[in-house]
Amino acid sequence: MALISIQEDVIKLVGFHVGARFFGAKILTVREILRSPVIEAAPDAPPFIQGISRLRGVILPIIDLGKLIGKAGPTVKRDKTWVIVAPAGKRNVGYVVDSVTPIIRVKTSVILPAPEIVLAGLRSKYIQGICETDKGILFITNLDCMLLEEEVAAIGKMPAK
């Protein structure tokens, strides 16, 4: 008699902190993670753009995720700046976060839908679910939905090189 192993579905997330909040994004939506990139001022950029960085010859718009979602924590002097690179429309953008964790594995069976009270105050519907982890409550995000349509359109008009 053979034993049948039932393996639960598990998603892999990149964990990151913005202020006191703990977020995770599906690893397949994250293009890369940058540590302390040079961020320059972006003249004539939309107001939600903190600056720009050059990544392999391409201009990468940089967005302070804490300011974008209205959850900026207390200003802490950091040795490193963490930037999560993800797509926004047809190009990539960088989201500045406070810290990044190693890969988190979460069973899909423990993920709960985000409560309406959480979703009601959001500028976009970027929270896909929540779950309890050993590091606290994890808000699972969809990085593709962080920016509003008009913000994605404004980024698309910025020079790429």
Side-chain angles (χ1 to χ4, degrees):
M1 176 189 238
L3 294 175
I4 298 174
S5 173
I6 299 175
Q7 184 178 6
E8 285 196 63
D9 287 333
V10 174
I11 60 170
K12 294 180 184 176
L13 304 166
V14 173
F16 56 95
H17 289 91
V18 176
R21 296 267 173 109
F22 183 38
F23 294 94
K26 289 182 182 175
I27 196 166
L28 294 177
T29 64
V30 174
R31 297 288 187 247
E32 61 188 291
I33 299 169
L34 307 175
R35 290 173 64 178
S36 300
V38 174
I39 300 174
E40 303 170 21
D44 301 324
F48 62 91
I49 302 286
Q50 175 181 329
I52 57 171
S53 188
R54 294 196 181 271
L55 183 62
R56 291 182 286 283
V58 176
I59 293 176
L60 182 70
I62 303 294
I63 299 163
D64 184 324
L65 190 54
K67 288 181 183 175
L68 183 72
I69 65 174
K71 298 295 179 201
T75 304
V76 177
K77 186 75 173 165
R78 289 172 263 180
D79 294 335
K80 300 175 193 162
T81 300
W82 293 93
V83 176
I84 296 176
V85 179
K90 294 182 179 178
R91 68 186 296 182
N92 290 330
V93 298
Y95 294 106
V96 175
V97 298
D98 295 327
S99 65
V100 177
T101 70
I103 301 302
I104 301 165
R105 289 171 177 77
V106 176
K107 293 178 183 176
T108 56
S109 62
V110 301
I111 299 172
L112 302 172
E116 276 303 314
I117 193 158
V118 171
L119 296 176
L122 301 179
R123 61 190 298 281
S124 66
K125 302 298 182 201
Y126 60 87
I127 302 287
Q128 291 184 309
I130 60 172
C131 67
E132 182 68 33
T133 70
D134 58 349
K135 293 178 174 46
I137 293 180
L138 174 69
F139 294 87
I140 300 171
T141 63
N142 181 350
L143 291 177
D144 293 340
C145 296
M146 282 291 175
L147 297 173
L148 302 174
E149 287 181 32
E150 56 270 16
E151 293 168 336
V152 172
I155 287 171
K157 294 176 184 173
M158 291 178 68
K161 295 201 180 218

